[in-house]
Amino acid sequence: RTIGDRIGEAKASGNLGNTLKILGQFDEAVVCCQRHLDISQEQGDKVGEARALYNIGNVYHAKGKHLSWNMAQDPGYLPQEVKETLQKASEYYERNLSLVKELGDRAAQGRAYGNLGNTQYLLGNFSEAIAFHKERLAIAKEFGDKAAERRAYSNLGNAHIFLGRFDISAEYYKKTLQLSRQLKDQAVEAQACYSLGNTYTLLQDYEKAIEYHLKHLVIAQELGDR
């Protein structure tokens, strides 16, 4: 500010916002991220503007998750305050998405699609969540980003459960399992086995359910995860 560096001030405000978000000070975080947005728009800095929109989305997303954690509920059954917060997150991700499309930034589009999928899932809009996660999946494959691909499969599996499409969920969870083994991520592998166990229980295929729950158990024991 002293040297009149507006872009520098914008970036610093954004960094402050992200730090305050991590500290759980969401309202202060929004103020700082909004300053990042305002200055970026004033300076015609499209990249900064896109980043600020994404960051504000993240603050509302984190706030929504934080509020809903205090009330253990299934996705979709949310108190008004949580719903409004997650809808705000969604709006900012949508604005970010249209801007990064304009900028032709595919990687940023992938991140926006993933987060839109997650907010729509929490809001109980499972069909919309699926559409966004499919877009996320396509971009992850484009970039050969196996970790993002794995997350997309997992999210697609979760959303199909709530639509009662257990068979489709099982297929997505199997892909999650396959990739977690490729990535040598045992904790995620255990999680995928757990999800598959539950899905096969819903499908009333108890033999398979037992098989996957046993795999989950073995990894949990290996990891010493009580």
Side-chain angles (χ1 to χ4, degrees):
R1 276 178 177 163
T2 311
I3 61 171
D5 174 3
R6 291 295 274 167
I7 297 279
E9 184 184 341
K11 282 182 183 164
S13 299
N15 289 337
L16 264 172
N18 291 339
T19 309
L20 287 161
K21 179 197 78 179
I22 293 164
L23 290 169
Q25 291 163 255
F26 303 115
D27 298 339
E28 294 95 319
V30 169
V31 173
C32 292
C33 291
Q34 186 64 49
R35 193 186 306 127
H36 184 191
L37 179 61
D38 294 341
I39 298 172
S40 300
Q41 285 172 332
E42 164 209 302
Q43 297 290 313
D45 173 8
K46 292 281 188 193
V47 174
E49 185 182 341
R51 198 162 289 152
L53 288 166
Y54 182 74
N55 288 343
I56 298 174
N58 283 345
V59 175
Y60 282 120
H61 193 177
K63 184 182 177 180
K65 281 201 288 197
H66 176 77
L67 290 170
S68 61
W69 277 336
N70 301 334
M71 327 161 191
Q73 270 149 327
D74 276 338
Y77 299 95
L78 298 170
Q80 195 54 33
E81 187 192 359
V82 179
K83 204 175 272 187
E84 282 167 12
T85 305
L86 290 169
Q87 271 157 353
K88 271 191 188 148
S90 238
E91 281 160 30
Y92 279 100
Y93 288 141
E94 290 275 13
R95 285 172 64 187
N96 164 263
L97 181 60
S98 67
L99 192 48
V100 293
K101 276 181 177 170
E102 201 182 298
L103 294 167
D105 185 342
R106 287 294 279 166
Q109 286 169 45
R111 289 191 291 274
Y113 280 126
N115 283 344
L116 277 163
N118 291 335
T119 47
Q120 290 304 312
Y121 173 81
L122 289 171
L123 284 163
N125 303 330
F126 302 113
S127 300
E128 288 90 333
I130 286 165
F132 285 128
H133 284 310
K134 280 184 173 168
E135 294 282 358
R136 176 65 190 112
L137 179 62
I139 294 173
K141 284 179 171 173
E142 232 171 81
F143 280 90
D145 183 343
K146 294 288 182 193
E149 190 183 333
R150 200 273 308 152
R151 286 195 300 274
Y153 283 134
S154 188
N155 289 327
L156 283 162
N158 294 343
H160 278 92
I161 288 280
F162 283 95
L163 291 178
R165 301 303 310 272
F166 308 135
D167 48 341
I168 297 176
S169 287
E171 292 313 307
Y172 281 124
Y173 289 142
K174 279 180 195 163
K175 290 193 161 97
T176 306
L177 181 57
Q178 209 179 336
L179 277 173
S180 64
R181 284 175 178 159
Q182 267 181 39
L183 294 163
K184 299 192 172 25
D185 187 335
Q186 278 200 297
V188 173
E189 184 183 342
Q191 184 60 52
C193 290
Y194 176 78
S195 297
L196 277 161
N198 287 342
T199 307
Y200 279 113
T201 301
L202 292 166
L203 285 165
Q204 300 182 337
D205 184 341
Y206 302 117
E207 293 296 319
K208 267 191 183 152
I210 288 168
E211 185 190 317
Y212 282 111
H213 282 310
L214 281 170
K215 284 179 181 165
H216 174 220
L217 178 62
V218 169
I219 298 171
Q221 287 169 336
E222 267 176 37
L223 295 174
D225 183 340
R226 303 284 288 170

